[in-house]
Amino acid sequence: METAVLLRSSNKLIFNPRHYSPHNFFRLLSSSSISSSSLTPLNPHRSINPLTSRSLPRRRKLIPPSATSSSSSPSFHFNKHHFSTLSPHAIATPYSLDASTVPDEVAAKYGFEKVSGEFIGECKSKAVLFKHKKTGAEVMSVSNDDENKVFGIVFRTPPKDSTGIPHILEHSVLCGSRKYPLKEPFVELLKGSLHTFLNAFTYPDRTCYPVASTNTKDFYNLVDVYLDAVFFPKCVEDYQTFQQEGWHFELNDPSEEISYKGVVFNEMKGVYSQPDNILGRAAQQALFPDNTYGVDSGGDPKVIPKLTFEQFKEFHGKYYHPSNARIWFYGDDDPSERLRILSEYLDMFDASSAPNESRVEQQKLFSEPVRIIEKYPAGDGGDLKKKHMICLNWLLADKPLDLETELTLGFLDHLMLGTPASPLRKILLESGLGDAIVGGGIEDELLQPQFSIGLKGVFEEDIQKVEELVMSTLKKLKEEGFETEAVEASMNTIEFSLRENNTGSFPRGLSLMLRSISKWIYDMNPFEPLKYEKPLMALKARIAEEGSKAVFSPLIEKFILNNPHCVTVEMQPDPEKASHDEAAEREILEKVKASMTEEDLAELARATQELRLKQETPDPPEALRSVPSLILRDIPKEPIHVPTEVGDINGVKVLKHDLFTNDVLYAEIVFNMRSLKQELLPLVPLFCQSLLEMGTKDLTFVQLNQLIGRKTGGISVYPFTSSVRGREDPCSHIVVRGKAMAGRVEDLFNLVNCVLQEVRFTDQQRFKQFVSQSKARMENRLRGSGHGIAAARMDAKLNVAGWISEQMGGVSYLEFLKALEKRVDQDWAGVSSSLEEIRISLLSKNGCLINMTADGKNLTNSEKYVSKFLDLLPSKSSVEAAAWNAQLSPGNEAIVIPTQVNYVGKAANIYDTGYKLHGSAYVISKYISNTWLWDRVRVSGGAYGGFCDFDTHSGVFSFLSYRDPNLLKTLDVYDGSGAFLRELEMDNDTLTKAIIGTIGDVDSYQLADAKGYSSLLRYLLGITEEERQKRREEILSTSLKDFKEFGEVIEAVKDKGVSVVVASPEDVDAANKERSNYFDVKKAL
Ligand SMILES: [Zn+2]
């Protein structure tokens, strides 16, 4: 797991019942790139958890027109609502229990006994806990009317050291099994199923294998592949899989140097290059010196090479056993069938003692606080003095807390840190002592809860001041309590979102599973975490009776102020660290080589060769056919229909989507950005943040924030920019998104109006904080999502829309922010008037468009408020487009950062070659990613990921890699893609799978708000229903000939493409030596 628990969503009770960011088998690279940042709010308070990030291929652009997409459904600022308007009964609909009952004799026939069962009103589900009699395996069988079915199997896998066994095993079991004897059944499922979710995660103490699909046949196919994978994987007999996913020595020729390779090895090198991750891991390990959390289940790159194949096999034998498993089923399928499928696997085992051995020991509380200092790799550019990080961490209890206390602590966490107006967050940021918050507040997903808070971007001499400020603020909060408005706003926020249960494209059933498992895994009741109603009511009653201070102050005192189990972690920037680590690794490898005889070296070169050959040899067709797949007849011929009515209110276009939304209205108010002067564009993200966080003449920003919290489900503001196919001019807008219960729509539009028209850009100090926070966030993104930075940079060299996005979220933006920091001090009046100029240029009825999603009655009722809102907008006679003509200079570029892994990109515009968009391009680019690039960049190259992306709006086709040990070699792989396609042979089964997998992306599962939002984007980008139908038909009729022809088209990338890499200085130097100054070098950190 990514021990850095620090990057998760702040309002965890809400979107993200799970706050850990565990290691994923493969990272869904959405929402990390620049172009998707133009779709999501640029000011989320913490970066996005890979789990909550959208389960669609990386970027909006990749998604065919029919989806355009749930990846674009931005996470809301905050979900808030006044609880008094929202009774649980208003939302619950009855669910028939009869259909979901497994008769006892059926359960017995399959070897199960029913332990307990109940109807859970909060998720409108019948849940039954079964026990497999022979092995003791436990099964939660949850039945309801949700078509997005979820299965998951979870093992308790606490490691004893930092060799990364659980993580490497998580990767390896997906590399072939008894019934599915091919290299990677997982990849076949990625290619050819309709899954709505498919991945695997390693936590510090457990490993989860979840899948989801709306198609029942597809769902059971996925379940079977996963069950076979975990219980009967080939990897325990196949040393080469262990080498590939874990680690091995690579030696291409006895005369060359030996290197380490391995997918997990490189993934973890990437993790260990990120300061926030280093901090999180150091804190966790110091908080838990005596139990399993004191080591890294993900693997420390320095320790991973100590792992032996014997240990690896033994770990699987012991822990991947039914007796040590917890299994989850959820959705509208037949619950008896679930038990039948499971019995086929579980019956093959006898009970084992694993549950005793896998139990997580409790960490005893310290009697004294602890302080540790860690170094992290920093660049030598910039001011190293203001690069320290400081974080205070507490272990809150020596055993798990009861749910009511946990819920109360969750509220306390939201009150202290959940919004920009929350006091602890606000005071720390306003102190000017640091750039951004670190530490994620309350963390309650492990056995014992923790609390962490601190700052980064701190001067060394200010470290103590930060510590004192944290303590004095906590003391003050204990003594004075919280404002009533703040308590009410937090309460509503949490309640709105528990009830709305909007998990984005993350399946609802998976979110519930992770919530349940967080207690179940410790042998506690799996039903309890699903039931929030009673403890919530109890908490509300207590606050009403005793006052919030009486509820929260004792918690702050007991768990934090009087708690000696505190670990203070100080992080120091070290410009030498990255090269020292490199040198230390090289020294070990040199010693290894020196200790080898000539025969040994020849043998190693032979083994390296053999492994590569195996990796690059395609599976035989029989093996591929073993993975079950749908047939084309199972696939609907028409795209998913979103009802859309285009109307007009007061001369403004209004799009209405009549969909069931549980009485919530979702609205987008869109303004045209085309009239904005080019030089103002980089200020737009900060303009958006200022609207929500600066306050008006009558309201401080805290009051405004609380008002939004009490009356609506949240408001967010962000820019959206894209190329439009067939047009020179880009589509560029600012989007204001809001949601509210039907009875609060008037409040919602009033508040949007207030935010747009009344907010004053006068608070210099707050604006300065926004700049520092954005800078810290960009630096983080550069290290963690370098592929997104590289992609944006290439786009900016190839088209205007890309240039704009890069100005608002790429390396150019980081440079802009650095300069702006000074300008705010020297010329605040100028900055402030620029912000005002943006508002004047945007706010106009002429350039406005409204999009609303709700049921018909609520849509109609909302119109009068829309009309009133529009009346208040200024009108302009005409909106003139400003001259936007900038692009970055076209050369190849290397962005140098202190890192141990690289991000490698290459791209070109294929429309320039005369290529006309055809639906087959979606099938083909997905296929290249899942075969050629997966095999060469990941499997044999050792990178964590490699993929391609086709922006069908601009025509830019790009290749990208993620946490990549290579650089020029990866570019060579990209250049080979055209030839790969031209020489491709494939049978019908393979082609069908590729088509079905693409349809799975196109038809990705969306909740109502995402459907309405996708429809809006299609409208803005000029994609008609006819075009969607046409593309779908083209996808469905894709032929091998299309692949071969496309091979010619993408030769343009090889021949004329531009390359941008985000990489370490050593690798860039080496590349420039080898290929005579191929890259212009730019230092970014
Ligand atoms: Zn991994």
Side-chain angles (χ1 to χ4, degrees), residues 165-209:
I165 293 194
H167 185 192
I168 297 168
L169 198 52
E170 173 237 293
H171 279 240
S172 304
V173 302
L174 298 171
C175 297
S177 62
R178 179 199 59 167
K179 264 165 91 175
Y180 307 108
L182 55 159
K183 286 190 294 183
E184 287 180 293
F186 178 83
V187 183
E188 290 308 304
L189 295 175
L190 272 185
K191 281 184 211 162
S193 78
L194 294 178
H195 62 268
T196 53
F197 190 90
L198 183 72
N199 211 332
F201 329 128
T202 307
Y203 285 67
D205 57 12
R206 72 197 87 138
T207 310
C208 306
Y209 295 88

Side-chain angles (χ1 to χ4, degrees), residues 22-27 167-168 170-171 200 202 245 263-264 267-268 298 938 944:
H23 297 293
N24 300 345
F25 176 63
F26 101 119
R27 174 149 159 176
H167 185 192
I168 297 168
E170 173 237 293
H171 279 240
T202 307
E245 298 299 323
V263 175
V264 168
E267 182 188 337
M268 295 313 296
R938 173 166 162 133
Y944 187 25

Side-chain angles (χ1 to χ4, degrees), residues 79 81 132 160 189 212 231 254 307 340 398 424-425 434 446 546 656 770 789 852 902 949 979 1033 1051:
N79 311 291
H81 191 266
H132 184 247
K160 291 196 172 60
L189 295 175
F231 289 123
L307 180 62
R340 191 195 64 73
D398 58 5
L424 184 53
R425 166 181 297 270
L446 300 182
E546 304 167 30
K656 289 186 293 188
F770 300 164
I789 297 288
M852 295 197 289
N902 305 323
D949 179 28
E1033 286 162 15
E1051 285 296 308

